[in-house]
Amino acid sequence: MSTLTHKMLIFSVIFSVILLTFGAHSDLQGQSSPKVALTGGKIITVSGAPIDGGTILIEDGIILAVGDGGMAIPYDAMEVDCTGMILAPGFVDAHNPGGLDIPNENLAVAPFVDVFDAIAPSRFFFEEALRNGVTTVHVMQGNNCVVGGVSRVVHPIGLSPDEMTRLPGLALKMSSSPKGGYDRLRHRAELRGVFSEFDRWHSDLSETRYDQESEKNEDLNPLPPEEARAEGKALIREEDLDDRHRHLAYLNDGRLAAWIHCGAATDVAPALDMIEKRGWTGRAVLVLSGDAHVAVNEIAASKVPVVLGADLIHRERDLITGDVEETFIPEVFRKKGVPFAIQVGSSNVLPERYLNYQAARLVRNGLSPEKAMRTITLGAAEICGVADHYGSIEKDKAANIVMWTGDPLEMTSWVQKVWIEGQLAYDREKDARLERLFPEMPEEDAEKSEPLSDDASTDAEPMPAENGESAVDSDAVESGDKEADEAKPEPLNKDKKSQDSEAEPAPAPKPAPEPKPEPAPGIDSGIKGGL
């Protein structure tokens, strides 16, 4: 091969690579969040009044405008007709470990864990979330821990945790209720020990950092240890934090929230005491279960929001009367003015796994539909600290919108389409799993399965009898009612009887065997029978 030919070959390869690169880049630019206008549907904004026949304009994944049917639609927007449907914000799942491969680590104390490493995008949980109208999930470890890992907010769509993540490092999970295999004494002692050890490490690091800076900077004078620790806290750098203490340091300086599980009323006071002493007020949330609602007065005084367990009814038997008393837990917190969100159940066979069912239970127990809808959208987003982006349909928020066939709180309604950041993430018409579960019937089979009408049933041919003859006399049907009556057999007369007598007699049936007589009961047979 000549030198010129070799150079031309290299040039052509380089040119092809450049062309493919710029072509792929242009394709991505063309596919990235075009303008979309959702028109004609009833809009449940949550933050304001509903809009009948409204329009939602979306660009680059953000809601540009929300208005009525008279709002102008840009010429370059793709219009989606939503007439007859309801457009609502996607549900916000405030606390769920369902997207993780395991809900908790084996270690009781694991503050170095990040749920990023355990999120499995291929889990059925995320697919089901889309199908049920959930567009924002706060993935957090379960309650079986002393100090757990760091949570994050994700969208239930993507091929990797990076693609799914929208807010990393939201909160650190811990529990004031005993972990499995622990009693309360051991659990609380270990919980106090975690933060006592952190305080010592943090103080030593602060003193060391001040001493290092005072050696470099002449303006900093040497200070006694206590004063050096106080001054050195502001000098701690990111590279000074080790893996074990990094998330605890983020919690200490306000970069992480504290979510504390309380499985009983007796566990609420220690949790509230820790929140107050460590300065977590305003960025703490209690995850409640069991009879923790009994401490509602203390929770209301602390102004800490709560996340309620999936079982919204607490049952307790009266020790004197034996009667079972039921308490609807959300109503207890509503009366005290405590903000609350609702969790869903983990069972695949109970309706508590649906957020809209949980909200419908609120309506059934006296809460208005508007407030119940807010509880699973904007209210949950506020508790998670993401209300600036999610939970309602309003300008400058993420375009996470769900198209429902009816009222979202009605169990007869279903999700038709889901948009996440303006991109169509789910379409029921293209749901492969539903197609496999409920395949469409072919047209020929559908025609065969249609029920016969009254007219068709009268014109149908008679069914053959068992002996091969027609069950209905066809001559009688064709000749009319009169001939049919004549065709009926006449009653037997004497001549007929005589003719029958001349016929050969039918063989006589064999006599049935006589039953053997049962033995007479003895005198005490009644007693034996009783025994």
Side-chain angles (χ1 to χ4, degrees):
M1 182 183 294
S2 63
T3 305
L4 180 60
T5 307
H6 184 69
K7 289 182 179 179
M8 291 181 64
L9 181 60
I10 294 175
F11 176 77
S12 62
V13 171
I14 295 174
F15 181 76
S16 300
V17 171
I18 294 174
L19 191 62
L20 288 173
T21 303
F22 279 97
H25 180 71
S26 62
D27 289 342
L28 290 175
Q29 291 295 328
Q31 294 175 3
S32 61
S33 299
K35 286 184 181 178
V36 180
L38 309 180
T39 62
K42 179 180 179 181
I43 303 174
I44 300 177
T45 63
V46 173
S47 59
I51 304 174
D52 290 324
T55 299
I56 305 173
L57 184 60
I58 304 167
E59 184 176 12
D60 293 329
I62 303 297
I63 299 175
L64 289 183
V66 182
D68 55 19
M71 190 176 73
I73 300 175
Y75 73 93
D76 57 344
M78 182 183 69
E79 184 174 353
V80 180
D81 186 12
C82 304
T83 303
M85 299 291 183
I86 291 181
L87 299 174
F91 297 153
V92 179
D93 196 340
H95 178 285
N96 205 322
L100 304 177
D101 52 3
I102 55 172
N104 283 105
E105 299 294 329
N106 293 328
L107 294 174
V109 179
F112 45 84
V113 170
D114 192 321
V115 296
F116 175 86
D117 300 318
I119 291 177
S122 60
R123 288 185 68 86
F124 182 70
F125 167 81
F126 294 113
E127 177 186 335
E128 191 72 3
L130 277 178
R131 194 175 288 115
N132 297 331
V134 178
T135 59
T136 306
V137 184
H138 182 202
V139 180
M140 174 171 274
Q141 283 193 310
N143 301 324
N144 191 30
C145 66
V146 175
V147 177
V150 174
S151 67
R152 60 180 51 210
V153 171
V154 304
H155 285 164
I157 182 172
L159 299 178
S160 68
D162 273 327
E163 292 183 8
M164 302 171 69
T165 298
R166 287 300 174 269
L167 182 62
L170 183 68
L172 184 67
K173 182 66 177 291
M174 60 192 78
S175 176
S176 66
S177 294
K179 177 186 176 341
Y182 282 38
D183 57 18
R184 280 187 168 79
L185 181 63
R186 179 185 176 185
H187 184 97
R188 291 177 184 172
E190 193 160 346
L191 183 60
R192 287 192 300 267
V194 170
F195 290 98
S196 297
E197 190 274 334
F198 167 78
D199 290 338
R200 290 192 299 270
W201 172 86
H202 193 257
S203 298
D204 294 341
L205 179 59
S206 301
E207 183 180 358
T208 302
R209 285 294 300 130
Y210 185 85
D211 293 340
Q212 291 174 350
E213 291 296 322
S214 62
E215 292 177 0
K216 299 177 183 179
N217 191 348
E218 297 179 354
D219 296 335
L220 295 179
N221 298 321
L223 295 174
E226 187 173 351
E227 296 180 12
R229 291 169 184 170
E231 296 292 334
K233 290 180 180 179
L235 302 176
I236 296 177
R237 303 163 301 181
E238 181 67 26
E239 57 267 27
D240 297 325
L241 305 177
D242 58 29
D243 291 340
R244 179 175 179 80
H245 300 95
R246 179 173 287 107
H247 292 154
L248 295 174
Y250 291 169
L251 177 64
N252 186 67
D253 60 21
R255 282 183 278 180
L256 285 177
W259 284 49
I260 307 176
H261 169 243
C262 302
T266 188
D267 302 323
V268 172
L272 295 178
D273 183 64
M274 181 179 294
I275 292 171
E276 182 181 359
K277 288 182 177 179
R278 303 204 65 86
W280 299 339
T281 304
R283 51 189 178 93
V285 176
L286 297 182
V287 181
L288 304 182
S289 59
D291 66 345
H293 63 279
V294 176
V296 62
N297 292 329
E298 291 77 6
I299 296 173
S302 67
K303 298 182 179 180
V304 176
V306 300
V307 176
L308 305 180
D311 191 1
L312 303 181
I313 297 178
H314 178 71
R315 297 173 177 85
E316 187 174 2
R317 185 178 298 277
D318 189 283
L319 297 179
I320 299 177
T321 63
D323 297 334
V324 176
E325 298 179 359
E326 292 188 351
T327 302
F328 189 65
I329 299 174
E331 182 65 14
V332 175
F333 289 95
R334 187 195 67 81
K335 289 181 178 180
K336 294 294 181 178
V338 179
F340 63 88
I342 303 175
Q343 295 183 74
V344 293
S346 58
S347 173
N348 290 327
V349 296
L350 297 178
E352 284 81 0
R353 66 192 180 103
Y354 301 109
L355 265 177
N356 57 336
Y357 173 80
Q358 296 289 67
R361 296 173 69 187
L362 301 180
V363 176
R364 185 175 62 188
N365 285 272
L367 200 65
S368 68
E370 295 77 16
K371 291 183 178 180
M373 187 69 180
R374 191 184 191 281
T375 300
I376 58 176
T377 53
L378 187 58
E382 289 173 347
I383 291 177
C384 293
V386 295
D388 293 341
H389 304 283
Y390 308 111
S392 61
I393 299 178
E394 49 186 319
K395 190 176 181 296
D396 296 331
K397 284 196 172 184
N400 290 3
I401 299 169
V402 179
M403 177 195 289
W404 293 83
T405 58
D407 187 347
L409 302 187
E410 292 285 346
M411 297 308 293
T412 54
S413 304
W414 63 81
V415 174
Q416 192 66 34
K417 293 183 179 180
V418 178
W419 287 269
I420 292 183
E421 293 184 345
Q423 298 283 354
L424 184 61
Y426 174 78
D427 188 346
R428 186 180 178 87
E429 299 297 331
K430 300 178 181 179
D431 192 325
R433 192 179 297 273
L434 289 184
E435 289 179 1
R436 290 196 297 269
L437 291 175
F438 308 103
E440 293 185 1
M441 184 182 298
E443 294 183 359
E444 297 179 357
D445 296 341
E447 292 177 358
K448 292 179 181 179
S449 64
E450 290 181 357
L452 295 174
S453 60
D454 295 338
D455 297 336
S457 62
T458 57
D459 296 337
E461 295 182 358
M463 298 294 292
E466 294 180 359
N467 58 2
E469 298 180 358
S470 175
V472 179
D473 193 343
S474 60
D475 296 335
V477 174
E478 293 177 358
S479 60
D481 297 338
K482 182 177 180 180
E483 294 180 352
D485 294 338
E486 293 177 357
K488 292 180 181 179
E490 296 179 358
L492 294 175
N493 50 25
K494 295 181 179 179
D495 297 335
K496 185 70 177 177
K497 291 180 180 178
S498 63
Q499 294 176 3
D500 294 340
S501 62
E502 294 177 359
E504 295 181 1
K510 296 180 179 181
E514 297 181 0
K516 297 180 180 181
E518 297 182 358
I523 299 175
D524 58 345
S525 61
I527 300 175
K528 290 182 180 179
L531 292 175

